[in-house]
């Protein structure tokens, strides 16, 4: 029941909807029975589909010789810059998910290994971790951390000017 107001019961599926609903949330029908405010419906179970992990296409690896040559002639140098940019992104608050995804992708960049998860999945996982860390932080930490970061940037600029 909606607090202090009427509710609507769908005539087709029997689902309880809010008084402002134009269509049933369960079946989409638009015909309702108005229920008085004293009516307490039984608890409705939410239908949650079972979890199934994402499916990936079969992975075809490059030959070990090509990957070995790539690592020694190109991959090693690329990874140095890759980690430098990832560390640079890590100190910013906005780009932390990208930095986490870049750290997870280091073996792929260094050796051209083709292993799931792809960068998009790693980036979304990094974003979820950052959001969870932000929500778990105390309020003073959520306010103080950006202020300290901006203060450090301002101090760095002031030191380089003089």
């Amino acid at each position: 029941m909606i607090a202090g107001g009427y509710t609507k019961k769908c005539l087709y599926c029997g689902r309880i909807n809010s008084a402002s609903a134009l269509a049933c949330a369960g079946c989409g029908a638009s015909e309702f029975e108005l229920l008085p405010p004293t009516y307490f419906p039984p608890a409705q179970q939410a239908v949650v589909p079972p979890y199934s992990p994402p499916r990936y296409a079969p992975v075809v690896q490059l030959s070990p010789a090509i990957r070995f040559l790539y690592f020694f002639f190109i991959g090693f140098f690329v990874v140095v810059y890759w980690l430098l940019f990832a560390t640079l992104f890590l100190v910013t608050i906005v780009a932390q998910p990208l930095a986490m995804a870049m750290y997870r992708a280091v073996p792929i960049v260094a050796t051209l290994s083709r292993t799931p998860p792809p960068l998009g999945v790693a980036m979304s996982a990094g974003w979820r971790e950052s959001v969870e860390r932000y929500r778990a932080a105390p309020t003073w930490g959520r306010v103080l951390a950006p202020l300290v970061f901006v203060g450090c940037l301002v101090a760095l600029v002031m030191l380089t000017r003089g």
Side-chain angles (χ1 to χ4, degrees):
M1 182 180 93
I2 306 301
Y6 286 85
T7 56
K8 295 178 180 179
K9 181 178 179 182
C10 179
L11 294 177
Y12 292 101
C13 69
R15 185 182 185 103
I16 307 300
N17 296 283
S18 67
S20 61
L22 299 176
C24 177
C27 66
S30 60
E31 296 181 16
F32 298 100
E33 172 189 356
L34 193 62
L35 300 173
T38 58
Y39 177 75
F40 293 101
Q44 294 178 350
Q45 292 282 337
V47 178
V48 179
Y51 173 76
S52 62
R55 296 189 180 124
Y56 299 105
V59 178
V60 179
Q61 293 284 354
L62 295 173
S63 71
I66 291 174
R67 290 175 53 199
F68 181 78
L69 290 173
Y70 171 83
F71 176 74
F72 279 107
F73 291 113
I74 300 170
F76 181 77
F77 302 105
V78 171
V79 152
V80 169
Y81 289 107
W82 187 267
L83 289 172
L84 181 69
F85 280 112
T87 305
L88 180 70
F89 291 150
L90 193 62
V91 297
T92 65
I93 294 173
V94 176
Q96 278 184 352
L98 179 61
M100 300 304 283
M102 288 176 74
Y103 281 126
R104 286 188 189 95
V106 165
I108 298 169
V109 173
T111 63
L112 291 181
S113 68
R114 297 180 181 175
T115 56
L119 190 59
V121 175
M123 188 167 171
S124 67
W127 175 254
R128 280 193 305 273
E129 289 172 8
S130 294
V131 169
E132 289 170 5
R133 271 189 279 127
Y134 179 77
R135 287 183 180 161
T139 305
W140 62 268
R142 285 184 272 173
V143 173
L144 189 63
L147 293 176
V148 168
F149 177 71
V150 170
C152 289
L153 288 179
V154 169
L156 185 64
V157 168
M158 297 303 278
L159 286 174
T160 57
R161 291 180 88 195

